[in-house]
Amino acid sequence: MDLHEAIKGRKSCRAFLGRPVPDEALQRVLNAARLAVSVENQQPWRFIVVRDEEKKRKLSQAVTKGNFLNSAPLVIVALGMEEASPALVGGYMLSYPLDVAASIQNFLLAATADGLGTCWCTDFKEDRIKELFGIPEGTRVVGVLPLGYPDPSNNGAHNGDGGRRSFSEIVAYDNFAW
Ligand SMILES: Cc1cc2nc3c(=O)[nH]c(=O)nc-3n(C[C@H](O)[C@H](O)[C@H](O)COP(=O)(O)O)c2cc1C
């Protein structure tokens, strides 16, 4: 699939078919995440692939309205290594959330290109997820990402470009013009 088709075709998926994700497809989307840009190439991301049904169930309970995660054959917990990421963005922001976000966006687009659906979830109880997987201090949960084949009968279609703002609302030339 062409990159622009994947960008336009991606949408959050909240219902999945029971069909398993082939290992090669999983490797492809994780590899896309691995190849993302990061500050000083620090790559402060880690991914836990959750296939165990009981762990998936407990994980879904740590996510607000997370019951739909149980319909996905696997769920990925995306982590950021806070300790390994001292760099400040513009002198005011730690860089690791941006790096992990870039990696997750690669993941979302690669999944789309493979015909897979996913949904970046951040409305979770981090302490419960850290306890469930033994995630140490200094490592933060940045996203919970179910992965599977979308159930076409239970996922609403995007209208047009998905309710995005128009160009003039977000782009200005030579000045801050809003
Ligand atoms: C950082 C981030 C956090 C999000 N958190 C959640 C979430 O906790 N639960 C959820 O169902 N969707 C979540 N979403 C999905 C957004 O609701 C969705 O991307 C947005 O409504 C646009 O829809 P689309 O992804 O279908 O284009 C999140 C998206 C982003 C980028």
Side-chain angles (χ1 to χ4, degrees):
M1 185 187 282
D2 165 71
L3 174 64
H4 292 281
E5 278 178 48
I7 290 170
K8 286 182 190 158
R10 187 216 55 80
K11 61 183 168 126
S12 294
C13 174
R14 297 185 182 86
F16 299 88
L17 300 173
R19 186 176 155 200
V21 176
D23 274 347
E24 315 81 70
L26 176 61
Q27 295 305 316
R28 274 193 295 274
V29 293
L30 288 173
N31 198 41
R34 186 178 74 86
L35 295 174
V37 289
S38 63
V39 172
E40 296 169 353
N41 202 21
Q42 287 179 359
Q43 307 160 68
W45 45 67
R46 301 290 183 274
F47 300 94
I48 300 176
V49 180
V50 186
R51 298 196 235 230
D52 179 83
E53 288 298 328
E54 185 57 14
K55 284 211 160 172
K56 218 163 25 123
R57 193 182 60 76
K58 288 185 176 153
L59 176 58
S60 74
Q61 289 170 348
V63 177
T64 304
K65 296 186 185 164
N67 203 31
F68 76 90
L69 300 182
N70 289 299
S71 71
L74 56 94
V75 181
I76 288 156
V77 180
L79 304 172
M81 312 297 282
E82 190 171 24
E83 282 173 349
S85 175
L88 292 173
V89 177
Y92 75 94
M93 191 201 290
L94 284 178
S95 58
Y96 80 91
L98 303 189
D99 295 333
V100 182
S103 179
I104 291 174
Q105 183 67 9
N106 273 13
F107 173 95
L108 301 180
L109 294 176
T112 305
D114 241 293
L116 291 160
T118 181
C119 180
W120 181 355
C121 297
T122 55
D123 194 358
F124 50 71
K125 300 266 186 303
E126 196 203 24
D127 53 343
R128 287 174 60 181
I129 297 177
K130 288 183 80 160
E131 192 184 338
L132 184 58
F133 297 101
I135 297 164
E137 288 264 312
T139 300
R140 308 306 302 251
V141 183
V142 179
V144 175
L145 312 163
L147 186 70
Y149 291 95
D151 178 349
S153 56
N154 280 311
N155 277 295
H158 262 183
N159 292 327
D161 57 8
R164 296 302 192 263
R165 293 181 192 278
S166 67
F167 265 83
S168 61
E169 285 179 286
I170 63 160
V171 181
Y173 296 91
D174 304 321
N175 260 314
F176 187 92
W178 294 276

